[in-house]
Amino acid sequence: MHTNTVAQLALGLQRRDFSSTELTELYLDRISALDDTYNAYITVNAEQALAAAAIADARLAKGTGDALTGIPIAHKDIFCTSGLRTSCGSRMLDNFVPPYDATVIKHFDAAGAVILGKTNMDEFAMGSSNENSYYGAVKNPWDTSAVPGGSSGGSAAAVAAMLAPAATGTDTGGSIRQPAAFCGVTGLKPTYGRVSRLGMIAFASSLDQAGPLARTAQDCAILLNVMAGHDKLDSTSSEEPVPDYTAGLDKPLQGLRIGLPREFFGDGLAASTAAAIDASLKELEAQGATLVEVSLPHSKLTIPTYYVIAPAEASTNLSRFDGVRYGHRCDAPKDLHDLYTRTREEGFGDEVKRRILVGTYALSAGYYDAYYKKAQQVRRLIQQDYLDAFKDVDIIAGPTTPGPAFALGAKSNDPLAMYLEDVYTLAVNLAGLPGMSVPAGFVDNKPVGLQLIGQHFDEARLLNVAHRFQQATDWHTQQGAMPQGK
Amino acid sequence: MQWETVIGLEVHLQLATQSKIFSGSATTFGAAANTQASAVDLAMPGMLPVLNEKAVRYGVLFGLGIGAEIGKRSVFDRKNYFYPDSPKGYQISQFSDPIVGTGSFDVQMEDGSTRTIGITRAHLEEDAGKSLHEDFHGQSGIDLNRAGTPLLEIVTEPDIRCAEEAVAYLKELHSLVTYLGISDGNMAEGSMRCDVNISLRPMGSDTLGTRAEIKNVNSFRFVEKAIRHEFNRQSDILNDGGTVVQETRLYDADRDETRSMRSKEVANDYRYFPEPDLLPVVIDDSYIEALREQLPELPRQKRQRFASEYQLSAYDAAILSSTREMADYYESVATTCGDPKVAANWVQVELLGRLNRAELDLEASPVSPEALSGLIKRILDNSISGKIAKTVFEAMWQGEGSADDIIEAKGLKQVSDSGELESMVDDIISTNTAQVEQYLAADDAKRKKLLGFFVGQIMKASKGQANPQMVNKILAQKLK
């Protein structure tokens, strides 16, 4: 049963083949048996999950269940959950139990989904390997000596190891797509503004976006149906109507124009990964799509632009963690200055401190014009590159990452090498576009992700392409040498 | 050396919205600590600001009120600094694109002359909370009720030259914002707080000297005193050949002095940048025009109209239009009683005097405009004298009814019947023969004085009810 998709499980629940309680118990058992190996969860929500499952079962018995009623879901520990510790992977919030739910959590709750637990992540979503967690690194289920990617590494690993049928994540520069690629699952970062950010702990406000990680594109569509929508409490959330993302999944790809940015297939892309991506693109071509070379001339400016804007926003978003009202507070502060410095020194890890410093510098008087302001100007150029490319193509495709999951510890002392991991994903956030990663083969028995990038609010098309691809391939259903449990 | 004072003012005006600028919490003054602080105000993780449209509307109304440029696309920025009463670690303010751009403001001085003060800008921002240093042994408490209260910061050009001008500007501003209904203008509750930037330069120079900024001066009187003190301090330094240090100072009302606020404080780098949690505020012409149509008559317009329409002196017109309530009260009395000048006198002297003694606001006056008008009508139709009217007014104040009721009940109606008055005059003449002799022997100047004696006697005998003009006339005839 644990190998089933959300769509299959929902059918089973509605047919009463099994109950939500049984399903929830199954996943809780798998977590307790297997998660010592992967460390995908920070907090397991056993008691409340079973209570929620019982409520879902009553609803299902009455026949009033929806697509997600009774389905256990794992949530990245960045979404505030009322009464359930929300750490954001940080010592700073190790003791933080929010008195409110994020809008995303409210939506899942209203749909009758069950919260299995809160998944591990890079501290404050800053990282590409999930090694920056106060709760320890997450292991890649395909190879436990490799990283799962980050920052939504716990969510990707939980889905890959079948410790949850689906999970939520957030993506600021690739944090859904890169771990989805490394763990062989399907992940979608929606258009900026598609999903409410309220109650989602902010990293970089103008880039952060929540999305689903699941086994299939269809499951991502089911989850996005619940997650998407305007929230009057998030001024940056869009009022664009939400379509039924499952409605057009089967549409044939005949006539689809796929843009291949020449900048995504050059130096830096591992040959074996390139080969897997080429084969995937051939499959889409075989289904009637046309492959068109496009150019995104400002691609080489993506990493510097992102690493000015994201840390700048982060540096002030994280100012609220000051030891005054909640979260970590140092022992016996001497005075206000001591309270601030010691609380933050103890509460934040190295990568978070690094980005606060970089961001503070970029916003400082005398540097603002050269860094932050310039980066915002380049950001507009990067977005324009994509808008120009979309004049000729419907979607853009390429690799999600330059290579497969790297070894734990391989890049943890080299921030620049780590930042290069996100070279293909960052621009999508800078441009506010939707992007997906879809399993597209294996290199050294580790998954490869195909990235699909869409126009603003064109998630339905990405899901359609991914779904058609998954109908013709079985990369997403492979389980490798993973332990199966019961 | 003769020094010229150069002053620029920054006023933090609390806008009279029901809820905060970025959250739904109430803004009521004086609630128990932290009972008006929501998750947004507490800067809980994941919380986001949502702009209160009313704050924008009030900002635009202010801009229209001073004829300033309205920012059609204004942007909120983060002003970053750490302090316990700033829960997010930044204040949401407006930096490069404020809601109100340049404008100007005509200020009427006490001598009736007018000064024009340039307005540099006005921008929306949120207030901070309060740190409470008492009642906590060796610790500080934080009350975030005030955090997120909407403020409009109004910045002038360095156009002000003395304490009197500063105060006149503030009074005019106070009057304007209360007319517009965008602030309650309650100084005691901090609804209007003032930072004073002040520097000196040799008279005739056109370069600016080094300024000191005096923070948070909370009354008109303190602004005046702070400026006087600061002028003395700076001129003493300069006359001794010293230089003024650019710094932030605090006005201590108890000692009537300004002093440096922590000299260790280095220049802050607030690292302003556009607030990514809020969209730019885009205002279209129809929004502005709709508000323009709602603009009430403003203090300056009202003052001018009162002066021309009711023939009041500039001074009277200014006092009677100083608040919207006052102007409405006066105008109601003036138009219903039929004599705007008498009405002006009664409102200013008797009513305001009585309110002052009772320490009441106009809104709490026990005498309504209708009641006062009823009283003035009885003066105008000679039913009572001005003196009796004061007695009637006091009775009205005590709640004894309308002027007519009181005149009737107490039998205060003026005696204007000439027969009755003539017999009173005859009585007085016959019982004061000595004075009559004196009167008849006296010259014109002395006669006037002695006539007063007879009038006084008659008024006394009639308990003030005799019509004094008629008594004068009859006496003059009878004593020929």
Side-chain angles (χ1 to χ4, degrees), chain A residues 100 197 199 316-317 320 325-326 365, chain B residues 42-46 78 87 269:
Chain A
Y100 49 86
R197 293 188 295 117
T316 97
N317 279 334
R320 65 185 59 197
R325 298 167 311 286
Y326 49 76
Chain B
L42 290 165
M44 298 296 279
R78 290 186 183 176
D269 179 359

Side-chain angles (χ1 to χ4, degrees), chain B residues 256-276:
Chain B
D256 186 22
E257 64 177 26
T258 67
R259 61 167 180 270
S260 189
M261 283 171 77
R262 278 185 298 144
S263 55
K264 266 189 285 179
E265 193 178 39
V266 285
N268 264 318
D269 179 359
Y270 290 120
R271 306 191 311 279
Y272 281 100
F273 78 109
E275 162 61 285

Side-chain angles (χ1 to χ4, degrees), chain A residues 11 29 49 53 78 96 108 114 128 156 159 253 266 287 379 409 430 449:
Chain A
L11 207 60
D29 287 349
I78 198 168
F96 178 60
F108 277 106
V114 171
S128 309
V159 175
L253 302 186
Q287 290 198 34
R379 180 180 186 170
L430 290 171

Side-chain angles (χ1 to χ4, degrees), chain B residues 136-307:
Chain B
F136 300 92
H137 293 284
Q139 296 185 310
S140 294
I142 307 292
D143 177 4
L144 294 176
N145 281 353
R146 207 182 60 185
T149 298
L151 300 177
L152 187 68
E153 182 175 335
I154 303 157
V155 182
T156 73
E157 292 290 303
D159 286 347
I160 298 168
R161 292 288 171 271
C162 62
E164 290 78 8
E165 276 179 26
V167 171
Y169 163 77
L170 290 171
K171 284 187 173 164
E172 187 86 35
L173 181 67
H174 184 269
S175 168
L176 175 73
V177 298
T178 51
Y179 261 68
L180 289 168
I182 64 174
S183 175
D184 65 14
N186 190 326
M187 309 273 293
E189 293 175 7
S191 294
M192 214 172 135
R193 307 193 290 268
C194 190
D195 298 343
V196 183
N197 286 289
I198 171 168
S199 64
L200 304 189
R201 64 183 172 194
M203 199 62 86
S205 161
D206 57 3
T207 54
L208 292 170
T210 306
R211 71 190 159 89
E213 181 176 14
I214 311 166
K215 282 272 184 202
N216 260 330
V217 196
N218 288 345
S219 81
F220 298 147
R221 201 163 58 90
F222 290 165
V223 167
E224 191 170 346
K225 294 178 98 169
I227 290 172
R228 294 236 159 86
H229 175 273
E230 191 58 21
F231 172 83
N232 290 335
R233 188 186 71 89
Q234 291 190 19
S235 59
D236 283 352
I237 293 174
L238 294 169
N239 287 332
D240 287 351
T243 50
V244 173
V245 181
Q246 181 166 342
E247 62 182 349
T248 303
R249 299 180 70 84
L250 193 75
Y251 176 69
D252 182 338
D254 294 334
R255 297 193 199 172
D256 186 22
E257 64 177 26
T258 67
R259 61 167 180 270
S260 189
M261 283 171 77
R262 278 185 298 144
S263 55
K264 266 189 285 179
E265 193 178 39
V266 285
N268 264 318
D269 179 359
Y270 290 120
R271 306 191 311 279
Y272 281 100
F273 78 109
E275 162 61 285
D277 287 333
L278 291 168
L279 304 175
V281 182
V282 178
I283 296 172
D284 59 25
D285 290 336
S286 64
Y287 183 91
I288 295 173
E289 289 319 307
L291 286 181
R292 199 191 300 279
E293 276 170 29
Q294 287 171 32
L295 276 184
E297 186 181 26
L298 297 176
R300 189 175 140 77
Q301 297 159 336
K302 197 161 289 228
R303 198 160 61 221
Q304 287 167 350
R305 185 169 61 80
F306 278 10

Side-chain angles (χ1 to χ4, degrees), chain B residues 411-463:
Chain B
L412 296 174
K413 200 166 178 349
Q414 186 161 259
V415 179
S416 299
D417 178 89
S418 51
E420 210 171 316
L421 290 173
E422 272 182 49
S423 72
M424 277 188 211
V425 171
D426 290 341
D427 277 357
I428 294 297
I429 289 176
S430 61
T431 51
N432 292 285
T433 44
Q435 282 80 2
V436 174
E437 294 294 319
Q438 272 181 37
Y439 178 89
L440 292 173
D443 59 16
D444 272 5
K446 271 205 169 153
R447 276 189 171 192
K448 251 189 189 159
K449 222 173 169 184
L450 284 163
L451 197 65
F453 164 78
F454 293 111
V455 174
Q457 292 296 309
I458 291 164
M459 294 310 287
K460 204 170 157 188
S462 70
K463 296 189 180 118

Side-chain angles (χ1 to χ4, degrees), chain A residues 328-463:
Chain A
H328 179 69
R329 176 189 287 196
C330 68
D331 268 341
K334 282 202 309 281
D335 54 25
L336 186 59
H337 189 261
D338 187 40
L339 168 72
Y340 285 155
T341 50
R342 228 156 17 95
T343 294
R344 289 167 67 82
E345 185 186 320
E346 295 164 3
F348 291 138
D350 287 348
E351 183 61 24
V352 171
K353 287 177 191 161
R354 181 178 297 123
R355 296 201 195 187
I356 290 174
L357 283 173
V358 167
T360 302
Y361 183 86
L363 290 175
S364 297
Y367 299 100
Y368 179 87
D369 286 352
Y371 292 102
Y372 187 78
K373 199 173 166 194
K374 185 64 77 184
Q376 286 292 14
Q377 289 164 347
V378 177
R379 180 180 186 170
R380 281 190 283 279
L381 295 177
I382 290 169
Q383 181 174 36
Q384 195 55 50
D385 280 357
Y386 278 86
L387 298 180
D388 289 344
F390 280 127
K391 287 174 187 160
D392 301 320
V393 298
D394 302 309
I395 67 165
I396 286 169
T400 307
T401 58
F406 48 89
L408 282 158
K411 305 190 181 192
S412 47
N413 291 320
D414 187 350
L416 279 181
M418 191 73 90
Y419 296 169
L420 284 168
E421 276 302 307
D422 300 325
V423 64
Y424 303 130
T425 50
L426 296 175
V428 171
N429 299 76
L430 290 171
L433 300 167
M436 274 190 92
S437 182
V438 185
F442 291 89
V443 168
D444 304 333
N445 200 35
K446 285 184 279 193
V448 171
L450 168 70
Q451 183 174 212
L452 305 173
I453 300 166
Q455 305 183 39
H456 290 119
F457 299 104
D458 206 13
E459 287 82 359
R461 174 122 55 176
L462 294 184
L463 290 161

